[in-house]
Amino acid sequence: MLFNSGMASSKPSTVWPVVHHERRALLKDLEPLPAAQWQTPSLCAGWNVHDVLAHVIDSAKTTRLSFIRRLVASRMDFDRDNAVGVEREKTREPAQTLNGLRAVLSRTSGPPASLATRLVEAFVHGEDIRRPLGIHRDYPAEHVATALSYQVKTTTKMGGGKEIAEGWRLVATDTSFRHGNGPAVEGSALALLLAVSGRPIGPHEVSGPGAPVFLQRLGNA
């Protein structure tokens, strides 16, 4: 069961201002980052924070047409296409890669998918970078809930977390988001979004009868 009353709209007039704000916030957080910290492993397996930033830039520059062309070139392999995009946008100097982020701050392009994916990218990749660096950010819970609503309805094959969410009643403690049936797992919309997106979360971030087993299945126990 899913209730949408605590979630924001996924209309362009709502989504893009949030995405642009998150890009600016990420730029501000990364501008003073010491050179050595750019090699810090991110929450995204196999990528450091510099790699994730390059992916954020690449994703912002992607258009519907270029997405189709690239996917054909990568033989329908999303991971291969992402790797090519990171290689293209990652420069030798992080400061130069940050210039790439500045250049896409206000772009409104993206792959042929729901606009909610732009929120998923902004919040999840923002935490992919910030958490390992010890940088805290408060995200707008209602928009995080919109991203979470999309993830729990989308298969992992398509970048979502439907299979991870199945069998649990996910309850956001900072919005009215509720999803599913089963043992309750309670946490902030952000913690639940990260979990169903395959990211590690701390045991202190969720509670409820289902939390211990939920964490074990995530590999976080």
Side-chain angles (χ1 to χ4, degrees):
M1 184 179 296
L2 181 64
F3 299 94
N4 293 308
S5 58
M7 286 167 259
S9 167
S10 58
K11 294 180 180 179
S13 60
T14 300
V15 171
W16 286 119
V18 176
V19 172
H20 296 160
H21 183 71
E22 291 304 321
R23 288 175 185 166
R24 291 191 294 271
L26 184 60
L27 176 64
K28 183 178 179 180
D29 282 344
L30 292 180
E31 283 177 329
L33 193 66
Q37 289 191 300
W38 283 94
Q39 302 304 314
T40 303
S42 75
L43 296 186
C44 192
W47 283 356
N48 61 34
V49 297
H50 197 179
D51 295 326
V52 177
L53 176 61
H55 172 71
V56 169
I57 297 167
D58 178 57
S59 181
K61 293 170 72 172
T62 300
T63 65
R64 290 174 177 266
L65 182 57
S66 70
F67 176 82
I68 295 171
R69 288 174 174 170
R70 287 172 45 169
L71 203 54
V72 171
S74 65
R75 300 178 184 177
M76 310 303 288
D77 187 325
F78 288 102
D79 290 337
R80 179 184 297 174
D81 176 60
N82 284 335
V84 170
V86 168
E87 183 178 357
R88 178 172 51 246
E89 300 300 334
K90 183 180 178 182
T91 66
R92 292 178 62 88
E93 296 297 330
Q96 188 175 346
T97 308
L98 279 174
N99 284 335
L101 179 60
R102 292 187 184 93
V104 300
L105 288 178
S106 299
R107 284 187 68 105
T108 57
S109 56
S114 167
L115 268 182
T117 62
R118 302 303 88 205
L119 296 174
V120 174
E121 289 259 327
F123 301 137
V124 174
H125 289 322
E127 289 298 278
D128 282 340
I129 290 172
R130 289 187 175 99
R131 288 195 171 206
L133 295 173
I135 299 172
H136 175 77
R137 176 165 176 75
D138 291 319
Y139 299 88
E142 70 275 18
H143 296 294
V144 176
T146 299
L148 175 57
S149 177
Y150 174 82
Q151 287 296 80
V152 298
K153 295 182 291 185
T154 305
T155 65
T156 53
K157 183 178 180 180
M158 298 302 295
K162 181 178 180 180
E163 293 85 349
I164 298 174
E166 285 178 349
W168 310 98
R169 178 168 172 75
L170 302 181
V171 180
T173 55
D174 52 356
T175 75
S176 59
F177 176 91
R178 306 289 187 274
H179 174 81
N181 296 292
V185 179
E186 303 176 2
S188 68
L190 180 63
L192 297 178
L193 173 63
L194 292 175
V196 301
S197 300
R199 276 26 176 213
I201 59 173
H204 64 284
E205 295 189 79
V206 290
S207 60
V213 177
F214 182 72
L215 286 168
Q216 283 184 341
R217 293 188 182 177
L218 286 176
N220 295 318

